[in-house]
């Protein structure tokens, strides 16, 4: 959810309309079994779960537009309509199905995709998916099938025409290999005696629609499906990006495109598949208790710190290991000691006045008398390039590298400020050069202003406060991507009367509100 929210906020920052849809997949055997174990009705069980996810989204400051639940009535109508169209086009037929079924993964596996394993805790032997290690059971039943094999060539053609459909590239290559080797038809219903918790097959009350067909249609439900002619474009479809875990790439990279191609519905432009978080380098799982409570983590470290850590350290190609110590180190290094330190040094008003430095630089700029040296020229080039670099990485959905560009720019600015030593340039003596000092202060402040604007999608609350500290107008145009350019805003800066407290200790206390010392982890 955090990655999706960052991407949405980035689009908004760039002046584009963006819609974020998230939600909960609430049907299937797994939910049915969990509700039975809890001793409550499946709908009540799902109500409780969806409220937990909504609460988490709120606590994580995820600004979603739609929260889709597959138990919503409008979704059931959309799924039924989708099924009828597939049936009318001849893509659905009844047949006996035999195979290894995983309740946990809600899917059938072929014989070549399972193996015999021994549970290390109990010693019990059982068949399991090679891909996910989830237990499977042999199942034989009569159900409905989708002619996935008939769409093999169209899928491969689509992949060839859209090589960046699935990111990262390594998973796209694997997807193409999988489909090229052949895909069989897909079982898309379960007998009601096995699965009662779900949407019934239209015209056949003895069958329940396969949970993944049901769940995948939720992506278009909130876009107003079924549409009238051209209505999908008005409602925001096709999606520019769908974000999924690496374990469900097959469903989103093969089944979902195939369903859409069968009905000539536009496909999403990109699917970003991320790796998993591990804990102690082991897979997180409720069954083993190897999990992290996200609510506790937000309470402990703060929402913006957690958002930054998840985006900066989270794995896309490879899994990342979650550890409290890693969060503290990342926070101290990138936020408190780099960004916070630069803000503190620039905002010191004992030796200079930020607003006056900005005015002086703007006036010198107009008079084409801006004092330059090798350091200022290098810093100027850095800031001129930064917004474009970040935008390019965001365009290819590489949030981590975009963030690294910003943190590296802050690091370089700290070095620039130290090497330029404006405090020496302000003192009467051999190094006295107040014009150059003001220019150095201005370029350092610009690094803060530009970086704070670019970091807003990741850390909206802290960056809003930081821009307030800098005296940047709250007007949206002053905090947009267009404003994140060197020299774009000459009106910010804190006058002496508005400045932070003059004593160092008081200034530190103010800064602690933005980047406090983390308690022992």
């Amino acid at each position: 959810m955090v990655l999706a929210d960052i991407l949405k906020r980035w689009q908004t920052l760039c002046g584009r309309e963006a819609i974020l849809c998230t939600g909960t997949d609430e049907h299937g055997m797994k939910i049915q079994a969990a509700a039975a174990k809890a001793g409550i009705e499946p709908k009540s069980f799902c109500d409780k779960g969806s409220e937990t996810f909504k609460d988490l989204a709120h606590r994580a400051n995820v600004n979603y537009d739609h929260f889709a639940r597959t138990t919503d009535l409008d979704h059931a109508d959309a799924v039924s309509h989708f099924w009828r169209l597939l049936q009318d086009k001849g893509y659905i037929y009844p047949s006996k199905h035999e195979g290894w079924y995983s309740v946990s993964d809600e899917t059938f596996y072929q014989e070549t995709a399972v193996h015999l394993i021994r549970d290390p805790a109990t010693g019990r032997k059982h068949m399991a998916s090679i891909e996910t290690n989830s237990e499977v059971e042999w199942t034989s039943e009569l159900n409905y099938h989708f002619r996935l094999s008939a769409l093999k060539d169209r899928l491969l053609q689509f992949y060839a025409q859209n090589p960046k459909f699935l990111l990262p590239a390594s998973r796209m290559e694997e997807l193409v290999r999988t489909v090229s080797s052949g895909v069989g038809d897909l079982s898309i219903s379960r007998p009601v005696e096995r699965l009662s918790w779900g949407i019934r097959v239209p015209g056949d009350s003895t069958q329940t629609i396969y949970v993944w067909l049901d769940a995948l249609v939720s992506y278009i439900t909130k876009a107003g499906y079924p549409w009238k002619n051209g209505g999908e474009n008005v409602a925001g479809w096709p999606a520019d990006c769908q974000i999924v875990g690496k374990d469900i790439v097959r469903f989103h990279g093969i089944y979902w495109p195939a369903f859409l191609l069968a009905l000539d519905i536009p496909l999403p432009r990109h699917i970003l598949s991320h790796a998993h978080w591990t804990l102690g380098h082991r897979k997180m799982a409720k069954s083993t208790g190897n999990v992290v409570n996200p609510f506790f983590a937000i309470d402990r470290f703060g929402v913006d710190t957690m958002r930054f850590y998840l985006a900066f350290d989270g794995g896309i190609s490879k899994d990342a290991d979650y550890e409290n110590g890693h969060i503290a180190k990342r926070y101290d290094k990138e936020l408190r000691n780099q960004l916070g330190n630069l803000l503190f040094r620039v905002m010191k008003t004992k030796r200079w006045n930020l607003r006056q430095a900005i005015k002086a630089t703007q006036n010198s700029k107009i008079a084409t008398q801006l004092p330059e040296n090798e350091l200022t020229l290098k810093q100027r080039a850095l800031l001129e390039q930064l917004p474009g670099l970040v935008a390019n990485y965001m365009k290819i959905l590489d949030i981590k590298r975009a963030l690294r560009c910003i943190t590296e720019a802050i690091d370089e600015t700290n070095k620039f400020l130290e090497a330029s030593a404006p405090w020496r340039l302000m003192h009467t003596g051999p190094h006295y050069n107040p014009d150059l000092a003001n220019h150095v202060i201005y370029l350092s402040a610009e690094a803060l202003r530009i970086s704070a604007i670019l970091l807003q999608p990741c850390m909206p609350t802290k960056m809003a406060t930081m821009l307030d500290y800098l005296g940047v107008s709250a007007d949206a145009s002053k905090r947009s991507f267009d404003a994140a350019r060197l020299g774009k805003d000459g009106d910010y800066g804190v006058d002496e009367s508005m400045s932070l407290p003059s004593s160092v200790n008081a200034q530190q206390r103010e800064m602690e509100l933005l980047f406090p010392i983390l308690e022992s982890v």
Side-chain angles (χ1 to χ4, degrees):
M1 285 196 294
V2 170
L3 292 180
D5 185 64
I6 291 173
L7 290 175
K8 181 203 170 176
R9 288 177 185 269
W10 174 260
Q11 295 300 326
T12 303
L13 185 75
C14 294
R16 308 184 189 103
E17 183 180 2
I19 300 170
L20 171 56
C21 182
T22 186
T24 44
D25 169 15
E26 301 179 5
H27 289 139
M29 294 184 70
K30 187 162 53 175
I31 296 293
Q32 180 176 287
K37 185 177 180 180
I40 59 176
E41 290 297 315
K43 182 60 167 62
S44 298
F45 183 84
C46 292
D47 288 343
K48 183 178 179 181
S50 68
E51 285 305 312
T52 299
F53 276 100
K54 284 182 180 179
D55 188 23
L56 179 58
H58 175 72
R59 293 283 300 281
N61 201 7
V62 172
N63 186 27
Y64 63 80
D65 298 275
H66 302 293
F67 192 94
R69 297 183 59 186
T70 57
T71 52
D72 290 338
L73 292 178
D74 63 340
H75 174 69
D77 292 340
V79 172
S80 296
H81 182 80
F82 197 90
W83 178 282
R84 290 191 188 96
L85 290 183
L86 288 175
Q87 200 165 41
D88 291 346
K89 286 178 173 286
Y91 281 102
I92 294 178
Y93 65 95
S95 178
K96 183 179 180 180
H97 188 88
E98 291 185 329
W100 294 100
Y101 190 80
S102 166
V103 173
S104 176
D105 300 336
E106 297 282 13
T107 190
F108 279 99
Y109 287 101
Q110 296 179 356
E111 189 74 36
T112 55
V114 299
H115 61 168
L116 182 67
I117 65 170
R118 183 190 297 272
D119 188 320
T122 64
R124 185 176 71 89
K125 292 182 178 180
H126 63 268
M127 298 299 290
S129 160
I130 296 173
E131 180 184 356
T132 66
N133 225 34
S134 300
E135 185 170 353
V136 296
E137 59 182 8
W138 183 258
T139 302
S140 178
E141 60 192 30
L142 182 66
N143 52 30
Y144 289 93
H145 286 65
F146 171 71
R147 298 185 191 278
L148 180 62
S149 58
L151 290 155
K152 174 186 173 181
D153 291 341
R154 287 186 66 187
L155 281 171
L156 291 174
Q157 181 183 28
F158 174 78
Y159 297 154
Q161 294 171 346
N162 300 273
K164 296 183 179 179
F165 168 65
L166 175 65
L167 300 170
S170 58
R171 293 200 186 103
M172 185 67 190
E173 292 166 2
E174 184 180 346
L175 191 72
V176 172
R177 285 195 298 270
T178 299
V179 176
S180 296
S181 66
V183 287
D185 290 350
L186 179 67
S187 170
I188 55 170
S189 74
R190 306 299 308 279
V192 71
E193 59 267 20
R194 285 183 178 271
L195 174 62
S196 60
W197 180 238
I199 300 170
R200 294 289 182 271
V201 167
D204 187 350
S205 59
T206 68
Q207 293 279 319
T208 302
I209 294 176
Y210 174 48
V211 62
W212 271 107
L213 173 57
D214 168 2
L216 289 166
V217 173
S218 70
Y219 291 123
I220 55 177
T221 297
K222 292 306 179 184
Y225 183 84
W227 304 293
K228 295 180 180 179
N229 291 338
E232 66 272 21
N233 296 322
V234 176
W237 191 263
D240 289 288
C241 179
Q242 293 185 299
I243 302 176
V244 303
K246 67 176 184 179
D247 55 326
I248 52 176
V249 162
R250 180 158 48 102
F251 306 101
H252 290 81
I254 301 176
Y255 302 165
W256 181 222
F259 293 150
L260 294 174
L261 287 171
L263 298 185
D264 297 315
I265 294 174
L267 275 64
R269 295 184 176 93
H270 299 288
I271 292 178
L272 175 62
S273 62
H274 59 78
H276 292 158
W277 283 99
T278 58
L279 185 61
H281 300 285
R282 293 187 296 117
K283 182 180 179 180
M284 291 194 191
K286 286 184 179 179
S287 58
T288 61
N290 195 49
V291 292
V292 173
N293 186 316
F295 295 98
F296 291 171
I298 290 172
D299 288 340
R300 184 173 191 177
F301 298 107
V303 61
D304 277 356
T305 298
M306 286 305 302
R307 286 171 63 99
F308 180 81
Y309 171 68
L310 293 174
F312 198 96
D313 285 271
I316 297 297
S317 298
K318 297 180 180 179
D319 292 346
D321 197 52
Y322 181 98
E323 186 180 311
N324 288 336
H326 292 165
I327 302 172
K329 287 177 183 177
R330 181 64 64 203
Y331 171 83
D332 284 339
K333 179 183 177 183
E334 310 296 349
L335 300 183
R336 181 176 170 81
N337 296 337
Q338 289 290 352
L339 187 56
N341 181 55
L342 182 61
L343 179 63
F344 176 65
R345 297 173 80 185
V346 169
M347 295 297 287
K348 281 182 179 179
T349 54
K350 257 184 157 183
R351 293 172 175 168
W352 55 72
N353 180 285
L354 179 56
R355 181 64 199 141
Q356 289 177 6
I358 293 171
K359 282 182 178 178
T361 303
Q362 291 290 317
N363 291 336
S364 296
K365 189 176 177 182
I366 293 171
T368 66
Q369 297 173 347
L370 202 61
E372 297 280 14
N373 61 23
E374 185 178 347
L375 291 173
T376 59
L377 288 171
K378 181 181 177 183
Q379 178 68 7
R380 179 175 291 277
L382 173 73
L383 298 181
E384 287 173 344
Q385 295 169 10
L386 180 60
L389 286 172
V390 173
N392 287 339
Y393 283 127
M394 292 300 289
K395 186 176 181 179
I396 62 173
L397 309 178
D398 197 336
I399 297 173
K400 178 184 290 190
R401 289 176 75 180
L403 290 176
R404 288 184 186 275
C405 280
I406 301 170
T407 57
E408 287 168 4
I410 292 298
D411 183 33
E412 288 301 315
T413 303
N414 272 304
K415 294 174 182 175
F416 161 72
L417 186 62
E418 186 65 29
S420 299
W423 45 89
R424 282 193 306 174
L425 301 173
M426 285 290 194
H427 283 182
T428 303
H431 300 290
Y432 183 68
N433 191 337
D435 290 339
L436 180 58
N438 282 329
H439 191 196
V440 169
I441 296 162
Y442 169 73
L443 289 175
S444 299
E446 279 289 84
L448 286 167
R449 184 185 68 84
I450 293 169
S451 296
I453 290 173
L454 297 176
L455 283 169
Q456 286 177 108
C458 183
M459 298 185 289
T461 304
K462 283 188 180 295
M463 292 306 100
T465 302
M466 184 167 156
L467 289 168
D468 289 343
Y469 275 164
L470 289 167
V472 176
S473 169
D475 187 292
S477 65
K478 295 286 190 177
R479 301 187 177 197
S480 67
F481 177 75
D482 185 59
R485 289 188 286 121
L486 181 62
K488 181 69 173 179
D489 184 358
D491 300 324
Y492 74 103
V494 180
D495 279 314
E496 191 171 352
S497 59
M498 301 166 55
S499 66
L500 295 173
S502 58
S503 76
V504 173
N505 288 337
Q507 286 186 28
Q508 287 176 328
R509 285 196 296 272
E510 288 287 339
M511 294 304 175
E512 290 298 343
L513 297 176
L514 189 58
F515 299 110
I517 297 174
L518 289 178
E519 296 180 6
S520 174
V521 295

